[in-house]
Amino acid sequence: MRYIDVHCHLDGGHYGNLDDMLGRVQAAGVQKIIAAGFDLQSSELSREVSEKYPFVYFTAGFHPTELEGYKESDLEKIAVLASHKKCVAVGEIGLDYHYPDTDKDLQREVFLKQLYLADKLGLPVQIHSRDCAEDMLNVLKENAALLKHGALLHCYSHSTEIAAELEKLGIYFSFGGTSTYSGSKKARRTIAALSADRLLTETDSPYLPPKSRYGVFPNTPESIPEILQNMANIKGVSLEEMSGKVWANAHLLFKKLI
């Protein structure tokens, strides 16, 4: 059985001894991890972790709520990081309207610049999207030409109807621990409705633990088997079949995974 976590965070010192935690992750059968950057520092730290652990890859980019210290010249540094052999995507990038002081114009500007950067570098993007469904759909439709190297909506939280529109653009969707809760009806309906060819597994560790670890912090990529089993149950297929599909999907999207 092969498991993969396509989006987690390994920076911040949440896990204690990282060697020990990643050893447990491998023992749980999780064979590959993608550590997501959310600003320049976290992207650099994710690169360092990927260089130490052969089964860890990373992304580099600016998260929409992490733009306070953003400078135009930072994109050049992201481009250098993204050119690293183990950087599989530009991300996480996107839109987030959750907070009342959101600068929507700045978020959109930086998001678009990173979409252009990813396209220029021939890389897919990992997209964060919260409380902005219509705007996100419109931005991606208007800029579909920039998505030809692939895109992932991580920890997907919008409606099944929006997902159907995004699926037409060839976008992938990853789901994490929240999808294992019986109350997460929207996520479960969306997993059921989407083609299995578009599904991926993530943890967004150290956040969003699955049902069996409710209230536990930090969550870790050790949760992937539970998340995948839940996905298989929803799709009505065996764990083995779902594992193979997710593994193949990840390698189709993130072509620098080896």
Side-chain angles (χ1 to χ4, degrees):
M1 196 78 64
R2 295 181 295 185
Y3 299 108
I4 184 169
D5 186 342
V6 301
H7 187 102
C8 65
H9 301 281
L10 298 182
D11 58 287
H14 300 294
Y15 305 104
N17 187 302
L18 196 59
D19 283 343
D20 290 346
M21 188 275 281
L22 290 177
R24 295 196 306 273
V25 167
Q26 288 188 291
V30 181
Q31 295 183 16
K32 294 183 184 179
I33 292 172
I34 300 175
F38 55 84
D39 61 9
L40 189 57
Q41 182 181 27
S42 62
S43 298
E44 289 171 341
L45 286 171
S46 296
R47 180 206 66 209
E48 291 173 8
V49 174
S50 79
E51 290 173 342
K52 183 176 180 181
Y53 301 95
F55 68 104
V56 177
Y57 297 78
F58 78 103
T59 73
F62 272 89
H63 186 287
T65 66
E66 303 295 328
L67 301 177
E68 185 175 348
Y70 168 79
K71 304 185 295 296
E72 192 72 24
S73 60
D74 288 339
L75 279 188
E76 298 173 11
K77 297 173 183 177
I78 292 295
V80 172
L81 285 166
S83 299
H84 191 283
K85 65 180 181 180
K86 296 193 77 178
C87 185
V88 299
V90 173
E92 62 182 293
I93 64 177
L95 302 173
D96 189 324
Y97 296 170
H98 184 70
Y99 300 102
D101 59 346
T102 294
D103 187 337
K104 295 181 180 180
D105 290 338
L106 178 61
Q107 284 194 12
R108 184 186 175 100
E109 174 191 340
V110 178
F111 182 28
L112 286 172
K113 285 181 176 178
Q114 292 181 101
L115 288 178
Y116 277 103
L117 175 63
D119 182 56
K120 179 181 177 181
L121 296 173
L123 287 174
V125 289
Q126 282 203 0
I127 298 172
H128 170 100
S129 183
R130 181 163 66 157
D131 297 344
C132 62
E134 293 296 334
D135 278 4
M136 178 58 72
L137 178 60
N138 290 334
V139 166
L140 295 179
K141 280 185 172 181
E142 292 165 6
N143 296 278
L146 300 176
L147 305 178
K148 58 182 174 287
H149 301 291
L152 168 70
L153 262 290
H154 106 85
C155 202
Y156 184 76
S157 62
H158 302 314
S159 70
T160 302
E161 292 73 22
I162 292 285
E165 291 299 306
L166 294 169
E167 188 175 17
K168 294 175 186 176
L169 299 176
I171 289 173
Y172 290 79
F173 305 81
S174 58
F175 294 86
T178 54
S179 66
T180 66
Y181 293 88
S182 58
S184 297
K185 295 179 180 179
K186 187 162 55 174
R188 298 170 75 86
R189 283 197 301 267
T190 303
I191 291 170
L194 285 169
S195 166
D197 292 334
R198 295 287 137 192
L199 295 174
L200 292 167
T201 51
E202 68 159 289
T203 60
D204 205 17
S205 299
Y207 315 106
L208 307 181
K211 184 176 180 180
S212 72
R213 304 185 187 203
Y214 177 75
V216 173
F217 185 89
N219 186 28
T220 79
E222 294 168 85
S223 298
I224 286 292
E226 180 177 352
I227 292 165
L228 185 67
Q229 180 68 71
N230 176 71
M231 189 176 283
N233 293 345
I234 293 171
K235 297 301 287 182
V237 300
S238 69
L239 181 63
E240 290 79 9
E241 182 178 345
M242 199 73 238
S243 170
K245 178 60 69 175
V246 167
W247 185 266
N249 292 346
H251 288 77
L252 285 170
L253 176 59
F254 302 113
K255 292 184 171 55
K256 288 165 75 174
L257 288 175
I258 58 172

